[in-house]
Amino acid sequence: MKEELMLIIPNKEYMNQAKELIKETIELDNDNPDKWAGFSRLNEFENYDEWLQKIADELHQEKLEPGRVTASTYFTIRKNDNRIVGIINIRHELNDYLLNYAGHIGYSIRPTERRKGYGKKQLLLGLEKCLDLNIKDILVTCRKNNIGSAKTIESCNGKLENIIYNPHDEDNHKRYWIKL
Ligand SMILES: CC(C)(COP(=O)(O)OP(=O)(O)OC[C@H]1O[C@@H](n2cnc3c(N)ncnc32)[C@H](O)[C@@H]1OP(=O)(O)O)[C@@H](O)C(=O)NCCC(=O)NCCS
């Protein structure tokens, strides 16, 4: 199937593509406050290997600062050409901040690959990972005015619980639950 996607744990093979992903995001999506959703701060690392180490550490509670929760980060790869089309970060549990505002999952589809159905496919693949982790009640949130993300969540059967104001970014956020 031409448009099949898969989630892979980032590795050295994807370094150049990861840099290209950051470049494209800055060039085409710089004004979007959500542009780094799911990146696990990849954009802040000059050294890709150090970022690989950081996301590997994030799998282990003992390597995290108090209050942080373990998380998994994946590149979403299109199988037919091995291109990174997106990135997704799954938090394994919710602390107060995540419960109120950010939820279990953050994600992006790269600007040149949007509106092709990949956002929905990527989230569905992320939900499979949640199931593997035995997370069955999944909180996914988005800004109230992020129509693309809201539709993506709704297309994966997200049920809106409420809309709350986040004082950290001074914006309103929709909180959806997806039950698996
Ligand atoms: C949100 C995002 C992941 C959606 O990815 P995508 O690949 O374009 O989404 P899809 O093509 O799978 O579309 C899913 C649904 O959203 C709709 N949609 C997507 N972008 C849209 C937009 N900008 N405006 C209106 N509807 C939109 C699609 O029409 C589709 O609706 P449908 O289920 O009714 O057919 C992508 O826009 C993105 O990466 N944005 C920047 C980062 C971000 O906002 N992340 C989420 C933070 S909460």
Coordinates of all heavy atoms in Angstrom, one line a residue, residues 22 26 36 39-48 50-51 54:
I22 N 13.2 19.8 10.7 CA 13.2 21.0 11.5 C 13.3 22.2 10.5 O 12.5 23.2 10.7 CB 14.4 21.0 12.4 CG1 14.3 19.9 13.5 CG2 14.6 22.4 13.1 CD1 15.5 19.6 14.2
I26 N 10.5 25.3 10.3 CA 10.8 26.7 10.5 C 10.4 27.5 9.3 O 9.8 28.6 9.4 CB 12.3 26.9 10.9 CG1 12.5 26.3 12.3 CG2 12.7 28.4 10.9 CD1 14.0 26.1 12.6
W36 N 5.9 22.7 17.1 CA 6.8 21.7 17.7 C 6.1 20.6 18.5 O 6.7 19.9 19.2 CB 7.9 22.4 18.6 CG 8.7 23.4 17.9 CD1 8.9 24.7 18.2 CD2 9.6 23.2 16.7 NE1 9.7 25.3 17.3 CE2 10.1 24.4 16.4 CE3 9.8 22.1 15.8 CZ2 11.0 24.6 15.3 CZ3 10.6 22.3 14.7 CH2 11.2 23.5 14.5
F39 N 7.6 17.0 19.2 CA 9.0 16.9 18.8 C 9.9 16.5 19.9 O 11.1 16.2 19.7 CB 9.5 18.3 18.2 CG 9.2 18.5 16.8 CD1 7.9 18.7 16.3 CD2 10.3 18.4 15.9 CE1 7.7 18.9 14.9 CE2 10.0 18.6 14.5 CZ 8.7 18.9 14.0
S40 N 9.4 16.5 21.1 CA 10.3 16.2 22.3 C 11.5 17.0 22.2 O 12.6 16.5 22.5 CB 10.6 14.7 22.3 OG 11.1 14.3 23.6
R41 N 11.4 18.2 21.9 CA 12.5 19.3 21.8 C 13.6 18.9 20.8 O 14.7 19.5 21.0 CB 13.0 19.5 23.3 CG 12.0 20.0 24.2 CD 12.4 20.2 25.6 NE 13.8 20.7 25.7 CZ 14.7 20.2 26.5 NH1 14.4 19.2 27.3 NH2 15.9 20.7 26.5
L42 N 13.3 18.1 19.9 CA 14.3 17.8 18.8 C 14.9 19.1 18.2 O 16.1 19.3 18.0 CB 13.7 17.0 17.7 CG 14.4 16.8 16.4 CD1 15.7 16.1 16.6 CD2 13.6 16.1 15.4
N43 N 14.0 20.1 18.1 CA 14.4 21.4 17.5 C 15.4 22.2 18.3 O 16.1 23.1 17.9 CB 13.2 22.3 17.2 CG 12.3 22.4 18.5 OD1 11.9 21.4 19.1 ND2 12.2 23.6 19.0
E44 N 15.5 21.8 19.6 CA 16.4 22.6 20.5 C 17.8 21.9 20.6 O 18.7 22.5 21.3 CB 15.8 22.6 21.9 CG 14.5 23.4 22.0 CD 13.8 23.3 23.3 OE1 14.5 23.1 24.4 OE2 12.6 23.5 23.4
F45 N 18.0 20.8 20.0 CA 19.3 20.1 20.1 C 20.1 20.3 18.8 O 19.7 20.0 17.7 CB 19.0 18.6 20.3 CG 18.7 18.2 21.7 CD1 17.5 18.5 22.2 CD2 19.6 17.5 22.4 CE1 17.2 18.2 23.5 CE2 19.3 17.1 23.8 CZ 18.1 17.5 24.3
E46 N 21.3 20.8 19.0 CA 22.3 21.0 17.9 C 22.8 19.6 17.6 O 23.1 19.3 16.4 CB 23.4 21.9 18.3 CG 23.0 23.3 18.7 CD 23.8 24.3 17.9 OE1 24.9 24.0 17.6 OE2 23.1 25.4 17.6
N47 N 22.9 18.7 18.6 CA 23.6 17.4 18.4 C 22.5 16.4 18.4 O 21.8 16.1 19.4 CB 24.6 17.2 19.5 CG 25.3 15.9 19.3 OD1 24.8 14.9 19.0 ND2 26.6 16.0 19.6
Y48 N 22.3 15.8 17.2 CA 21.2 14.8 17.1 C 21.4 13.6 18.0 O 20.5 13.0 18.6 CB 21.1 14.3 15.6 CG 20.1 13.3 15.3 CD1 18.8 13.6 15.2 CD2 20.5 12.0 15.0 CE1 17.8 12.7 14.9 CE2 19.5 11.0 14.6 CZ 18.2 11.4 14.6 OH 17.3 10.4 14.3
E50 N 22.8 13.5 20.8 CA 22.4 13.8 22.2 C 20.8 13.8 22.4 O 20.3 13.4 23.4 CB 22.9 15.2 22.6 CG 24.4 15.2 22.9 CD 24.9 16.6 23.2 OE1 24.2 17.5 23.4 OE2 26.2 16.7 23.2
W51 N 20.1 14.1 21.3 CA 18.7 14.0 21.4 C 18.2 12.6 21.4 O 17.3 12.2 22.2 CB 18.0 14.7 20.2 CG 16.5 14.7 20.2 CD1 15.7 15.3 21.0 CD2 15.7 13.8 19.3 NE1 14.4 15.0 20.7 CE2 14.4 14.1 19.7 CE3 16.0 12.9 18.3 CZ2 13.3 13.4 19.1 CZ3 15.0 12.3 17.7 CH2 13.6 12.5 18.0
K54 N 18.6 11.5 24.8 CA 17.5 12.1 25.7 C 16.2 11.3 25.6 O 15.6 11.0 26.6 CB 17.3 13.6 25.3 CG 16.2 14.2 26.0 CD 15.4 15.2 25.0 CE 14.3 15.9 25.7 NZ 13.0 15.5 25.2

